[in-house]
Amino acid sequence: MFEPAIITHLVIAELPGALRELPSDQLNLLVNNIKNLVFGNIVSGEINPAMQDAADHYQHLHTISRAAQTVVALSLAILCTLLAWRSIHKEQRARNSVERIIMLFLIASSSIAVFTTIGIILSVLFEAIRFFQAVPLTDFMFGLKWSPQMAIREDQVGSSGAFGAVPLFAGTMLISFIAMLVAAPIGLMSAIYLSEYASKRVRNIAKPLLEILAGVPTVVYGFFAALVVAPLIRDSGTLLGLDVASESALTAGLVMGVMIIPFISSLSDDVINAVPQAMRDGSYGLGATRSETIRLVIIPAALPGIVSGMLLGISRAIGETMIVVMAAGLSANLSANPLQAVTTVTVQIVTLLVGDQEFDSPKTLAAFALGLMLFITTLILNVIALHVVRKYREQYE
Amino acid sequence: MQTNTLYNSSATQPDNCINIQSSIASDDCHTVGNTSVKNPRMNCRNVDVFYADKQAINQVTLDIGRNEVIAMIGPSGCGKSTFLRCLNRMNDTIDSCRISGEILLDGQNIYDKRQDVVPLRAQVGMVFQKPNPFPKSIYENVAYGPRIHGLTSTKSDLDIIVESSLNRAGLWDEVKDRLNQPGTGLSGGQQQRLCIARTIAVGPEVILMDEPCSALDPIATAKIEELIDELHEEYTIVIVTHSMQQAARVSQRTAYFHLGNLIEVGETNQIFSNPRHKLTEDYITGRFG
């Protein structure tokens, strides 16, 4: 691993004084040339005797290092074998130490995810703080105008730079709301059908089919929304005499709703199935119909799980990017009209960071601030969902 | 209790249709003892039950009298629970289950196409092996049945039903101060009595009990048995039990099932003191089962 670095260092130390005094960039070039000479690659410039010497020296060191590697590996193996051999005796319980090693390995694996999360939060947080040094927090939180173009030159026109995030969050909320309006009832109803009404055969076919929806990449949903659903909605809007933008919140919301259906239906189906059969028997035994049993016993018993499924669905909707990039548009309108184009937080993050960017202007730093807000929102939703699920678990124990 | 005189079996019936090891004999099986009673509440005639291809009940004919407690005993898998669940069509919820023969409730065939299963289950209530209160308050658990059947129009009527049902289940004094607490927070025995109260609240004629005490401790069991004894003045009770002592204590008649056949039925005293069929005798003397 460290072999090339060490050898290079040694070779440089052996070089004639005149060559050693060279500036670092020329020295690097020289070392590169020496390496090329050693490994038979094309050498730039002509080969002088000093270089040839150095190359021979390099070759020599390389051979030594190979031999040293072999020796070290062999002696390590022998040493370990000896240690293992010596530690075997009657009282030795290998299982304990093996289990401890496995446990350490598992702890390491799980902490990787945790530390990565912490790292992401910190980096986003620090960049966001830099952003808030340039743009006041109140302007960002309550400003109604989003126009993140900053003047690069002093005399540039029309680049005032306004960082009011309200239109973005309003757009996100509008699209998520439409998505949940589609996904929540359809997902819940399909879960009820699958778990309570469907025969085993139908269920075995329908459930995997529904879950395939969850496996469709969102970019596919995105161009489906932009190329199929958007024209459809625009044309039917025109028929009714409505003025529909071709990139409307409605399109993005509808398609996103379809994307979320499998999450909600699958989670709800699981919690409905987890309601003990005894509850159903008890209700049927009292002469309740199937719909009474579902409405009055099963849904209330499964409600916490269903709610947490919905919350996870909302988090997905808020964080969803590809569909809205393709179908929702870029103009930051502050509007509650689903037929207009709106933009979302995620879309703006993408547009702020696409292409060559400098990371010292508020324009790009705004992406971190938006990301932080988004992260906090979904984090709160997930915490609520987890809390609800935990409460649900206690109920049947 | 006559369990101390178990050994004076008189005659052994010819074992013409039962083979302990083989599966159910398909020819018709003769039940020992008198299956009919005067003025019955329910009549079962030649009931067969199949789960897919497997026959679980074979040609059972049995009358259930008014205001009697009839106990069903037999080794595990003998079909007594299956038979019980036929009486209020709980087996309808199992897809592969097929039933033939007829079961009459007050002269009306409950498997008739015109029979609606919802009022039937209100008339023939059921208490299950494991207490299964809904995850609602004690009050809501009892009020559930009257609500869905629209038995009351005002809140005060509902209060009265809830109180009287809990009273009859012997639970009122224990829970009257905490009606709004969840029913799942009660002890096992209390939960089972809550389930009985829930069943009573609908105003059934027959109550089916599927091993109602098997998940309870002896004290809770004694309370339930006491309750059954009180309830049979108003209701017909069919109880499936694994405990022969319990059958002897609470029932007037006892039916012994074996591998889907109804082997013997008779007065509880007679069954336990003087069983007429060899299999019945073997079972109650503990030779198998």
Side-chain angles (χ1 to χ4, degrees):
Chain A
M1 220 187 295
F2 304 106
E3 183 200 0
I6 295 170
I7 294 181
T8 308
H9 197 74
L10 288 173
V11 169
I12 292 173
E14 286 291 312
L15 281 176
L19 288 175
R20 236 185 308 161
E21 301 300 305
L22 283 172
S24 67
D25 47 346
Q26 287 189 33
L27 191 64
N28 270 341
L29 192 69
L30 184 70
V31 170
N32 233 357
N33 264 335
I34 294 170
K35 277 187 199 164
N36 284 342
L37 197 59
V38 171
F39 295 113
N41 291 334
I42 297 163
V43 181
S44 63
E46 56 192 63
I47 305 161
N48 54 35
M51 259 175 80
Q52 190 61 56
D53 281 352
D56 290 345
H57 185 55
Y58 192 104
Q59 190 78 49
H60 179 64
L61 287 174
H62 196 69
T63 322
I64 291 177
S65 108
R66 274 291 160 80
Q69 271 177 19
T70 315
V71 172
V72 167
L74 266 177
S75 51
L76 260 179
I78 291 167
L79 192 71
C80 288
T81 315
L82 275 178
L83 274 177
W85 192 262
R86 283 195 48 177
S87 66
I88 293 175
H89 51 87
K90 237 190 195 157
E91 279 75 34
Q92 168 74 7
R93 291 291 172 264
R95 178 172 47 80
N96 294 335
S97 35
V98 167
E99 275 176 359
R100 202 168 54 241
I101 290 166
I102 288 175
M103 192 189 72
L104 288 175
F105 177 72
L106 294 178
I107 289 175
S109 310
S110 57
S111 53
I112 284 176
V114 174
F115 286 121
T116 312
T117 313
I118 293 173
I120 291 174
I121 295 171
L122 288 181
S123 73
V124 169
L125 190 66
F126 286 128
E127 297 296 329
I129 287 171
R130 276 177 67 196
F131 171 76
F132 288 126
Q133 281 163 355
V135 178
L137 182 65
T138 46
D139 281 11
F140 178 75
M141 297 276 280
F142 305 112
L144 299 181
K145 192 163 179 298
W146 176 263
S147 166
Q149 306 309 321
M150 290 297 279
I152 299 172
R153 303 185 311 274
E154 287 301 314
D155 54 342
Q156 207 170 2
V157 187
S159 302
S160 51
F163 294 96
V166 172
L168 307 189
F169 279 96
T172 302
M173 291 303 156
L174 178 63
I175 289 178
S176 304
F177 180 71
I178 295 170
M180 290 311 288
L181 224 52
V182 174
I186 294 180
L188 184 57
M189 297 293 164
S190 68
I192 290 174
Y193 170 72
L194 282 179
S195 57
E196 295 297 314
Y197 288 92
S199 69
K200 213 171 180 181
R201 229 182 48 214
V202 173
R203 187 185 149 84
N204 284 345
I205 297 170
K207 205 174 178 207
L209 275 182
L210 198 64
E211 277 163 3
I212 286 176
L213 270 185
V216 176
T218 56
V219 67
V220 175
Y221 281 112
F223 66 69
F224 174 69
L227 302 181
V228 180
V229 182
L232 200 73
I233 288 178
R234 192 188 53 215
D235 293 348
S236 41
T238 320
L239 272 179
L240 296 169
L242 292 169
D243 184 24
V244 185
S246 34
E247 294 185 318
S248 62
L250 187 62
T251 310
L254 285 180
V255 175
M256 200 191 276
V258 172
M259 180 201 83
I260 296 170
I261 288 172
F263 293 96
I264 291 185
S265 85
S266 182
L267 280 168
S268 306
D269 183 48
D270 288 347
V271 291
I272 289 175
N273 268 328
V275 174
Q277 181 64 27
M279 293 294 133
R280 295 182 182 88
D281 283 349
S283 178
Y284 291 140
L286 290 170
T289 63
R290 212 189 277 222
S291 79
E292 282 166 344
T293 304
I294 291 167
R295 267 188 301 121
L296 301 174
V297 176
I298 293 175
I299 297 292
L303 194 62
I306 293 171
V307 167
S308 77
M310 300 277 173
L311 288 174
L312 288 178
I314 294 174
S315 322
R316 292 265 329 177
I318 290 175
E320 173 49 40
T321 311
M322 249 8 255
I323 294 175
V324 282
V325 165
M326 291 176 146
L330 296 175
S331 53
N333 293 324
L334 183 55
S335 162
N337 181 359
L339 302 179
Q340 277 193 348
V342 296
T343 192
T344 68
V345 178
T346 49
V347 171
Q348 287 306 315
I349 293 178
V350 170
T351 50
L352 287 175
L353 295 184
V354 165
D356 293 338
Q357 301 291 351
E358 285 182 76
F359 280 84
D360 53 359
S361 79
K363 184 191 165 196
T364 40
L365 291 177
F368 289 99
L370 288 175
L372 186 67
M373 301 305 280
L374 204 57
F375 178 77
I376 291 172
T377 318
T378 48
L379 182 74
I380 290 172
L381 282 174
N382 282 342
V383 166
I384 295 174
L386 277 178
H387 183 75
V388 172
V389 167
R390 198 168 302 146
K391 211 172 159 192
Y392 168 71
R393 279 206 191 117
E394 283 163 4
Q395 211 160 28
Y396 289 116
E397 277 170 359
Chain B
M1 243 192 290
Q2 246 81 31
T3 41
N4 50 350
T5 53
L6 281 174
Y7 291 96
N8 61 347
S9 69
S10 56
T12 318
Q13 293 293 313
D15 197 355
N16 58 349
C17 64
I18 314 298
N19 183 340
I20 298 173
Q21 296 307 323
S22 78
S23 63
I24 298 161
S26 55
D27 54 328
D28 72 323
C29 180
H30 182 68
T31 302
V32 176
N34 190 5
T35 59
S36 60
V37 294
K38 267 186 250 162
N39 192 15
R41 175 70 84 183
M42 299 188 86
N43 315 68
C44 309
R45 298 270 166 275
N46 304 329
V47 177
D48 282 321
V49 180
F50 297 86
Y51 290 121
D53 295 333
K54 197 175 161 292
Q55 188 164 11
I57 295 280
N58 179 31
Q59 293 288 313
V60 169
T61 296
L62 180 65
D63 283 358
I64 294 157
R66 268 166 219 280
N67 297 359
E68 76 169 356
V69 179
I70 178 163
M72 303 196 175
I73 58 170
S76 298
C78 68
K80 52 195 191 308
S81 285
T82 299
F83 181 69
L84 189 75
R85 289 166 65 92
C86 290
L87 297 179
N88 70 345
R89 292 182 57 175
M90 278 304 277
N91 283 333
D92 288 14
T93 55
I94 298 165
D95 288 336
S96 62
C97 185
R98 236 164 7 91
I99 296 157
S100 67
E102 59 179 11
I103 298 176
L104 310 178
L105 174 66
D106 295 327
Q108 192 78 36
N109 187 359
I110 64 171
Y111 281 94
D112 195 277
K113 281 199 173 60
R114 281 163 300 172
Q115 171 71 50
D116 188 357
V117 69
V118 166
L120 168 72
R121 289 190 189 141
Q123 281 174 294
V124 184
M126 188 150 193
V127 175
F128 296 87
Q129 182 170 2
K130 228 179 132 210
N132 58 348
F134 303 128
K136 301 170 185 284
S137 72
I138 294 169
Y139 182 93
E140 287 299 319
N141 260 289
V142 183
Y144 180 81
R147 279 228 177 94
I148 59 173
H149 294 296
L151 297 183
T152 58
S153 47
T154 62
K155 175 86 169 79
S156 56
D157 284 357
L158 193 59
D159 288 346
I160 292 169
I161 289 190
V162 170
E163 179 174 349
S164 69
S165 307
L166 284 171
N167 239 327
R168 265 189 278 175
L171 196 60
W172 175 251
D173 291 332
E174 290 164 57
V175 301
K176 65 183 172 200
D177 300 324
R178 45 174 175 155
L179 288 176
N180 290 320
Q181 286 176 22
T184 42
L186 297 172
S187 74
Q190 287 174 324
Q191 286 188 14
Q192 193 62 295
R193 278 181 285 152
L194 179 63
C195 292
I196 294 175
R198 187 173 75 180
T199 309
I200 294 172
V202 186
E205 296 160 12
V206 182
I207 301 177
L208 310 176
M209 297 188 176
D210 190 355
E211 298 178 37
C213 302
S214 63
L216 305 181
D217 65 67
I219 295 169
T221 302
K223 278 198 173 147
I224 302 269
E225 288 178 2
E226 210 174 293
L227 180 60
I228 292 170
D229 212 43
E230 287 166 21
L231 289 175
H232 93 265
E233 287 165 16
E234 280 176 76
Y235 307 98
T236 299
I237 296 174
V238 186
I239 178 170
V240 164
T241 177
H242 264 125
S243 154
M244 280 173 277
Q245 287 87 341
Q246 183 171 63
R249 283 194 294 264
V250 300
S251 69
Q252 282 89 54
R253 282 166 80 222
T254 298
Y256 173 67
F257 282 75
H258 186 91
L259 288 174
N261 294 295
L262 177 57
I263 303 298
E264 181 167 359
V265 62
E267 298 293 322
T268 299
N269 284 348
Q270 175 258 311
I271 292 275
F272 283 102
S273 60
N274 192 11
R276 288 159 58 194
H277 197 290
K278 178 81 171 63
L279 281 167
T280 318
E281 187 195 336
D282 286 352
Y283 182 68
I284 62 180
T285 53
R287 244 166 262 165
F288 71 88

